[in-house]
mmCIF file of all heavy atoms in Angstrom:
data_model
loop_
_atom_site.group_PDB
_atom_site.id
_atom_site.type_symbol
_atom_site.label_atom_id
_atom_site.label_comp_id
_atom_site.label_asym_id
_atom_site.label_seq_id
_atom_site.Cartn_x
_atom_site.Cartn_y
_atom_site.Cartn_z
ATOM 1 N N LYS A 173 -27.138 7.629 3.245
ATOM 2 C CA LYS A 173 -28.164 8.191 2.361
ATOM 3 C C LYS A 173 -28.128 7.429 1.046
ATOM 4 O O LYS A 173 -27.158 7.506 0.300
ATOM 5 C CB LYS A 173 -27.909 9.681 2.129
ATOM 6 C CG LYS A 173 -28.988 10.359 1.305
ATOM 7 C CD LYS A 173 -28.670 11.836 1.101
ATOM 8 C CE LYS A 173 -29.739 12.513 0.251
ATOM 9 N NZ LYS A 173 -29.431 13.954 0.031
ATOM 10 N N SER A 174 -29.170 6.696 0.762
ATOM 11 C CA SER A 174 -29.221 5.842 -0.427
ATOM 12 C C SER A 174 -29.255 6.677 -1.698
ATOM 13 O O SER A 174 -30.312 7.028 -2.210
ATOM 14 C CB SER A 174 -30.440 4.916 -0.367
ATOM 15 O OG SER A 174 -30.373 4.082 0.764
ATOM 16 N N SER A 175 -28.059 6.964 -2.199
ATOM 17 C CA SER A 175 -27.936 7.760 -3.414
ATOM 18 C C SER A 175 -27.437 6.877 -4.549
ATOM 19 O O SER A 175 -26.476 6.117 -4.382
ATOM 20 C CB SER A 175 -26.960 8.916 -3.176
ATOM 21 O OG SER A 175 -26.531 9.478 -4.387
ATOM 22 N N SER A 176 -28.095 6.986 -5.688
ATOM 23 C CA SER A 176 -27.673 6.177 -6.843
ATOM 24 C C SER A 176 -26.268 6.572 -7.303
ATOM 25 O O SER A 176 -25.507 5.735 -7.785
ATOM 26 C CB SER A 176 -28.673 6.344 -7.991
ATOM 27 O OG SER A 176 -28.769 7.705 -8.378
ATOM 28 N N THR A 177 -25.916 7.852 -7.117
ATOM 29 C CA THR A 177 -24.574 8.313 -7.486
ATOM 30 C C THR A 177 -23.514 7.614 -6.653
ATOM 31 O O THR A 177 -22.488 7.161 -7.172
ATOM 32 C CB THR A 177 -24.460 9.839 -7.291
ATOM 33 O OG1 THR A 177 -25.465 10.494 -8.065
ATOM 34 C CG2 THR A 177 -23.079 10.330 -7.710
ATOM 35 N N SER A 178 -23.769 7.489 -5.339
ATOM 36 C CA SER A 178 -22.820 6.808 -4.452
ATOM 37 C C SER A 178 -22.714 5.325 -4.804
ATOM 38 O O SER A 178 -21.615 4.760 -4.819
ATOM 39 C CB SER A 178 -23.250 6.967 -3.000
ATOM 40 O OG SER A 178 -23.240 8.313 -2.618
ATOM 41 N N TYR A 179 -23.857 4.710 -5.107
ATOM 42 C CA TYR A 179 -23.846 3.274 -5.412
ATOM 43 C C TYR A 179 -23.070 2.995 -6.697
ATOM 44 O O TYR A 179 -22.158 2.158 -6.718
ATOM 45 C CB TYR A 179 -25.269 2.739 -5.543
ATOM 46 C CG TYR A 179 -25.312 1.304 -6.034
ATOM 47 C CD1 TYR A 179 -25.035 0.251 -5.169
ATOM 48 C CD2 TYR A 179 -25.576 1.012 -7.375
ATOM 49 C CE1 TYR A 179 -25.030 -1.069 -5.619
ATOM 50 C CE2 TYR A 179 -25.578 -0.294 -7.837
ATOM 51 C CZ TYR A 179 -25.302 -1.323 -6.953
ATOM 52 O OH TYR A 179 -25.297 -2.618 -7.421
ATOM 53 N N PHE A 180 -23.423 3.682 -7.773
ATOM 54 C CA PHE A 180 -22.762 3.408 -9.052
ATOM 55 C C PHE A 180 -21.300 3.862 -9.025
ATOM 56 O O PHE A 180 -20.446 3.279 -9.694
ATOM 57 C CB PHE A 180 -23.524 4.076 -10.199
ATOM 58 C CG PHE A 180 -24.801 3.371 -10.545
ATOM 59 C CD1 PHE A 180 -26.022 3.924 -10.225
ATOM 60 C CD2 PHE A 180 -24.769 2.126 -11.172
ATOM 61 C CE1 PHE A 180 -27.206 3.258 -10.527
ATOM 62 C CE2 PHE A 180 -25.943 1.458 -11.489
ATOM 63 C CZ PHE A 180 -27.166 2.024 -11.160
ATOM 64 N N GLY A 181 -21.015 4.908 -8.242
ATOM 65 C CA GLY A 181 -19.632 5.325 -8.078
ATOM 66 C C GLY A 181 -18.813 4.258 -7.383
ATOM 67 O O GLY A 181 -17.674 3.956 -7.784
ATOM 68 N N SER A 182 -19.372 3.649 -6.339
ATOM 69 C CA SER A 182 -18.673 2.571 -5.621
ATOM 70 C C SER A 182 -18.481 1.357 -6.521
ATOM 71 O O SER A 182 -17.423 0.712 -6.492
ATOM 72 C CB SER A 182 -19.446 2.181 -4.361
ATOM 73 O OG SER A 182 -20.699 1.604 -4.693
ATOM 74 N N LEU A 183 -19.485 1.054 -7.339
ATOM 75 C CA LEU A 183 -19.378 -0.073 -8.271
ATOM 76 C C LEU A 183 -18.274 0.185 -9.299
ATOM 77 O O LEU A 183 -17.492 -0.715 -9.628
ATOM 78 C CB LEU A 183 -20.716 -0.285 -8.984
ATOM 79 C CG LEU A 183 -20.814 -1.485 -9.931
ATOM 80 C CD1 LEU A 183 -20.586 -2.796 -9.184
ATOM 81 C CD2 LEU A 183 -22.173 -1.497 -10.633
ATOM 82 N N PHE A 184 -18.182 1.429 -9.771
ATOM 83 C CA PHE A 184 -17.141 1.797 -10.739
ATOM 84 C C PHE A 184 -15.752 1.627 -10.139
ATOM 85 O O PHE A 184 -14.859 1.042 -10.766
ATOM 86 C CB PHE A 184 -17.357 3.243 -11.188
ATOM 87 C CG PHE A 184 -16.214 3.795 -11.999
ATOM 88 C CD1 PHE A 184 -16.084 3.491 -13.349
ATOM 89 C CD2 PHE A 184 -15.252 4.616 -11.409
ATOM 90 C CE1 PHE A 184 -15.022 3.992 -14.097
ATOM 91 C CE2 PHE A 184 -14.191 5.111 -12.148
ATOM 92 C CZ PHE A 184 -14.071 4.801 -13.490
ATOM 93 N N PHE A 185 -15.555 2.130 -8.908
ATOM 94 C CA PHE A 185 -14.227 2.038 -8.289
ATOM 95 C C PHE A 185 -13.890 0.603 -7.889
ATOM 96 O O PHE A 185 -12.718 0.205 -7.918
ATOM 97 C CB PHE A 185 -14.145 2.968 -7.083
ATOM 98 C CG PHE A 185 -13.987 4.413 -7.447
ATOM 99 C CD1 PHE A 185 -14.941 5.355 -7.066
ATOM 100 C CD2 PHE A 185 -12.899 4.845 -8.185
ATOM 101 C CE1 PHE A 185 -14.802 6.692 -7.409
ATOM 102 C CE2 PHE A 185 -12.748 6.179 -8.545
ATOM 103 C CZ PHE A 185 -13.708 7.109 -8.153
#
Side-chain angles (χ1 to χ4, degrees):
K173 184 180 179 181
S174 299
S175 164
S176 59
T177 303
S178 297
Y179 173 78
F180 286 108
S182 66
L183 184 61
F184 170 80
F185 284 119

